[in-house]
């Protein structure tokens, strides 16, 4: 069973200021779920040198979905030189902790993370072209986006480090 709520809002509270915010809250539980208990399997192997199957009942337990997710941006747009527009802003993203296994703890939980980005764009008011400079993960946070396992090895997939880039666009 998975349930939740989400909403998105776009507001224009002051001249030239535009804010977008997305919010998500989600919960989930298993109705009927049995799975191999890797902790017991590994402990048994360490103690005896033999592999054996051990199962755990995760029915009615939390699925480990990140409960809170937020993302948004705030942009300031200003006309300049009569026929051009300059836009600068900040964007953000938060994802709550996520269990990678039912009832996971320790290394089986991806920690929550918060990312921040910056951008600035210059374009004519007719939007025929634009030039943008941006940076993602400005704070250069180390975080993991997902994880996996292979046999008895468990690993996290890291998110990208700070990135600074530029792009040009042309509409014709």
């Amino acid at each position: 069973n998975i349930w939740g709520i989400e909403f998105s809002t776009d507001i224009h509270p002051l001249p030239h200021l535009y804010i977008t915010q997305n919010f998500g809250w989600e919960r989930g539980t298993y109705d009927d779920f049995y799975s191999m208990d890797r902790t017991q399997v590994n402990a048994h192997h360490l103690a005896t040198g033999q592999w054996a199957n051990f199962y755990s009942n995760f029915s009615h337990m939390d699925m480990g979905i990140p409960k809170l997710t937020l993302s948004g941006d705030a942009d300031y747009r200003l006309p300049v030189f009569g026929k051009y527009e300059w836009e600068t802003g900040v964007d953000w993203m938060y994802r709550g902790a996520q269990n990678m296994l039912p009832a996971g703890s320790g290394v089986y939980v991806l920690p929550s993370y918060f990312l921040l980005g910056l951008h600035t764009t210059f374009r004519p008011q007719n939007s025929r072209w634009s030039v943008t400079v941006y940076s993602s993960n400005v704070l250069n946070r180390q975080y993991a986006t997902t994880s996996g396992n292979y046999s008895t090895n468990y690993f996290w997939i890291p998110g990208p480090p700070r990135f600074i880039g530029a792009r040009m666009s042309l509409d014709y």
Side-chain angles (χ1 to χ4, degrees), residues 15 27 39 48 76 83 87 97 116 121 123:
R27 298 299 304 255
T39 303
T48 67
Y76 187 78
K83 296 182 180 182
E87 175 183 311
L116 192 63
T121 299
R123 66 180 154 255

Side-chain angles (χ1 to χ4, degrees), residues 75-115:
D75 293 319
Y76 187 78
R77 299 177 193 155
L78 187 63
V80 292
F81 309 125
K83 296 182 180 182
Y84 298 93
E85 182 179 72
W86 173 63
E87 175 183 311
T88 190
V90 60
D91 54 84
W92 54 87
M93 201 271 292
Y94 171 83
R95 188 189 77 185
Q98 178 178 359
N99 287 357
M100 300 311 292
L101 293 174
S105 62
V107 299
Y108 302 111
V109 176
L110 292 178
S112 61
Y113 62 85
F114 174 79
L115 301 175

Side-chain angles (χ1 to χ4, degrees), residues 89-159:
V90 60
D91 54 84
W92 54 87
M93 201 271 292
Y94 171 83
R95 188 189 77 185
Q98 178 178 359
N99 287 357
M100 300 311 292
L101 293 174
S105 62
V107 299
Y108 302 111
V109 176
L110 292 178
S112 61
Y113 62 85
F114 174 79
L115 301 175
L116 192 63
L118 300 171
H119 58 272
T120 190
T121 299
F122 183 75
R123 66 180 154 255
Q125 289 179 348
N126 66 11
S127 296
R128 291 256 187 218
W129 57 268
S130 69
V131 176
T132 301
V133 176
Y134 65 94
S135 179
S136 58
N137 193 6
V138 170
L139 303 174
N140 204 25
R141 298 279 172 94
Q142 293 184 356
Y143 62 102
T145 58
T146 189
S147 65
N149 68 304
Y150 179 75
S151 183
T152 58
N153 297 319
Y154 200 78
F155 55 90
W156 289 7
I157 308 294

Side-chain angles (χ1 to χ4, degrees), residues 41-57:
V41 169
N42 292 334
H44 178 75
H45 183 262
L46 283 173
T48 67
Q50 303 289 319
W51 290 107
N53 293 332
F54 293 91
Y55 293 92
S56 295
N57 181 358

